[in-house]
């Protein structure tokens, strides 16, 4: 039985030990315009219950047929203000399904989240979720965490001061991170791992102490396009241990190490990107197979403009490189199919 057409709006919740709002198996629901302060979890919406053993749902009695999962739960969580989600879970907004019954069809829109103890918005085993236009500040963990979910979008959110990653994607497939602003994180602004067909585009990343964005490993057919990365504490963009990445039209300024680090990839295109004022090399292409580095612009690097090391059948053409302290373009001795080194 799925409770239907539920509305929870315009309430004030304060000093609650566990969830302020707990929506189990609701469909066609709206949770909006609530003020939630000092609660264990702000809003939890889910269709997952722990059962015995490895089965997340208790077995039905004899003769009882389990009701199928809806094609969409059609839930909207919008315009809530959540301050200080502070128990051991510490999620301001938490969506939860399970592998056999994903929690599907939820919109999380224009919420304002401050000082969550662990994660601002956390979804796991979900599908077709849209996380849009939220503002998340001072998370003690991640700003947004998308775990083992598919066909879900993280779009146009503003995340400031996260104590680990700004946005973290792990598992699942065909997710997208588009037009977000992520500033001042202890680790990377964005971290993606084991998530094939990830799309990362038109984001603005700044002040990630461990780097701007890191995609590694297991992210086949990644698309990384038209992002801006400023003042990364290490590499601006790192793509590692994946196959089939398309890295196009990104801008990296003032990284403290490399602008781009492409390592142990295959079938990767790195083109029409810009690197300005990297403390070390503009681009390092290391131990890759069939990587094409074309039409990039690199200005002012502390070491090489573009360095190839241990690569196979990887090429560079049409790159504009200026003001590098060492070679503009350099193929190390351990490269196969080496090109011409350019001072």
């Amino acid at each position: 039985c799925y409770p239907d057409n539920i509305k929870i709006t315009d309430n004030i919740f304060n000093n609650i030990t566990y969830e302020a709002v707990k929506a189990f198996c609701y469909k066609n629901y709206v949770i909006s315009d609530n003020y939630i302060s000092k609660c264990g979890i702000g809003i939890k919406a889910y269709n997952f219950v722990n059962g015995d053993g490895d089965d997340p749902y208790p077995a039905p009695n004899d003769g009882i047929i389990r009701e199928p999962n809806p094609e969409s739960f059609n839930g909207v969580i919008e315009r809530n203000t959540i301050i200080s989600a502070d128990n051991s879970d510490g999620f301001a907004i938490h969506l939860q399904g399970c592998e056999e019954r994903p929690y599907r069809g939820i919109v999380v829109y224009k919420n304002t989240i401050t000082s969550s103890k662990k994660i601002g918005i956390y979804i796991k085993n979900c599908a077709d979720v849209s996380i849009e236009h939220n503002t998340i500040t001072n998370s003690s963990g991640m700003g947004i965490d998308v775990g083992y979910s598919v066909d879900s979008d993280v779009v146009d959110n503003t995340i400031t001061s996260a104590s680990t990653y700004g946005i973290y994607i792990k598992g699942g497939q065909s997710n997208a991170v588009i037009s977000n602003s992520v500033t001042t994180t202890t680790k990377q602004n964005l971290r993606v791992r084991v998530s094939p067909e990830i799309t990362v585009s038109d984001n603005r990343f700044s002040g990630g102490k461990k780097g701007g964005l890191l995609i590694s490993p297991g992210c086949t057919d990644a698309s990384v396009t038209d992002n801006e990365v400023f003042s990364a504490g290490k590499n601006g963009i790192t793509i590692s241990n994946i196959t089939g990445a398309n890295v196009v039209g990104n801008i990296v300024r003032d990284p403290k190490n490399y602008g781009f680090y492409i390592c142990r990839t295959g079938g990767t295109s790195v083109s029409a990107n810009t690197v300005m004022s990297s403390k070390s090399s503009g681009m390092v292409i290391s131990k890759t197979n069939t990587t094409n580095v074309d039409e990039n612009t690199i200005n002012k690097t502390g070491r090489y403009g573009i360095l190839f090391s241990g690569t196979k059948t990887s090429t560079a053409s049409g790159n504009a490189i200026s003001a590098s302290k060492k070679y503009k373009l350099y193929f190390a001795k351990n490269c196969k199919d080496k090109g011409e080194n350019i001072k």
Side-chain angles (χ1 to χ4, degrees):
C1 179
Y2 295 97
D4 199 355
N5 289 316
I6 306 297
K7 292 185 179 180
I8 301 173
T9 63
D10 294 301
N11 301 285
I12 296 174
F13 301 90
N14 189 39
N15 288 322
I16 296 174
T17 302
Y18 299 110
E19 298 90 345
V21 178
K22 189 172 184 178
F24 176 55
C25 282
Y26 290 6
K27 65 180 183 179
N28 303 314
Y29 67 85
V30 175
I31 301 170
S32 68
D33 300 292
N34 299 287
Y35 181 88
I36 300 171
S37 177
K38 296 182 180 179
C39 297
I41 295 175
I43 298 168
K44 182 172 182 176
Y46 63 117
N47 69 328
F48 170 88
V49 174
N50 287 318
D52 295 326
D54 295 326
D55 186 358
Y57 286 85
N61 294 328
D62 291 343
I64 303 298
I65 297 173
R66 181 181 292 170
E67 187 173 359
N69 213 34
E71 290 186 7
S72 173
F73 285 89
N74 192 30
V76 177
I77 300 172
E78 64 180 358
R79 298 188 307 273
N80 299 283
T81 297
I82 304 173
I83 300 173
S84 188
D86 60 5
N87 76 358
S88 59
D89 287 332
F91 310 136
I93 297 174
H94 180 195
L95 309 183
Q96 176 81 55
C98 66
E99 186 175 357
E100 67 175 47
R101 295 166 73 93
Y103 193 48
R104 185 183 298 275
I106 312 300
V107 175
V108 182
Y109 178 74
K110 272 196 174 181
N111 300 281
T112 301
I113 297 169
T114 305
S115 300
S116 55
K117 186 174 181 179
K118 189 174 286 185
I119 300 170
I121 298 172
Y122 176 47
I123 76 171
K124 185 177 181 182
N125 288 318
C126 295
D128 301 315
V129 171
S130 178
I131 302 171
E132 298 185 25
H133 298 279
N134 300 282
T135 299
I136 303 170
T137 306
N138 292 329
S139 286
S140 295
M142 278 87 74
I144 296 173
D145 183 347
V146 176
Y148 304 100
S149 298
V150 299
D151 298 320
S152 294
D153 298 333
V154 179
V155 179
D156 204 14
N157 301 282
T158 300
I159 300 170
T160 306
S161 298
S163 292
T164 57
Y165 306 102
I167 301 171
Y168 183 67
I169 313 289
K170 180 181 178 181
Q173 187 169 353
S174 302
N175 297 305
V177 179
I178 300 172
S179 299
N180 299 281
S181 174
V182 183
T183 305
T184 312
T185 60
T186 301
K187 295 186 177 180
Q188 286 85 7
N189 298 129
L190 169 65
R191 173 74 164 100
V192 183
R193 58 195 305 260
V194 200
S195 187
E197 300 176 14
I198 185 74
T199 296
V200 180
S201 69
D202 296 288
N203 299 284
R204 182 182 175 92
F205 299 124
S206 177
K209 289 186 178 180
K210 294 292 182 69
L213 68 92
L214 168 60
I215 299 179
S216 170
C219 301
T220 56
D221 299 321
S223 176
V224 182
T225 62
D226 300 313
N227 301 284
E228 296 183 357
V229 181
F230 298 92
S231 304
K234 291 189 176 180
N235 304 325
I237 295 176
T238 298
I239 312 290
S240 177
N241 290 286
I242 70 173
T243 302
N246 193 39
V247 185
V248 179
N250 302 283
I251 298 172
V252 177
R253 299 174 186 260
D254 302 310
K256 290 190 176 179
N257 198 37
Y258 309 142
F260 290 76
Y261 182 47
I262 313 297
C263 178
R264 299 183 186 276
T265 66
T268 299
S269 175
V270 183
S271 63
N273 301 286
T274 300
V275 181
M276 288 176 276
S277 300
S278 64
K279 289 291 179 73
S280 186
S281 299
M283 292 184 174
V284 174
I285 315 299
S286 176
K287 300 177 182 178
T288 64
N289 187 17
T290 317
T291 297
N292 300 317
V293 182
D294 303 321
E295 306 292 337
N296 299 284
T297 300
I298 299 172
N299 180 38
K300 193 178 180 182
T301 68
R303 289 176 62 79
Y304 300 96
I306 301 174
L307 170 64
F308 286 82
S309 175
T311 57
K312 299 178 181 178
T313 59
S314 295
T315 64
S317 66
N319 297 287
I321 305 170
S322 60
S324 294
K325 287 191 176 180
K326 291 196 172 184
Y327 285 79
K328 293 179 180 178
L329 177 62
Y330 189 79
F331 289 83
K333 291 181 180 180
N334 60 357
C335 294
K336 296 185 178 180
D337 302 321
K338 289 192 291 184
E340 179 185 359
N341 293 331
I342 301 174
K343 279 277 192 178

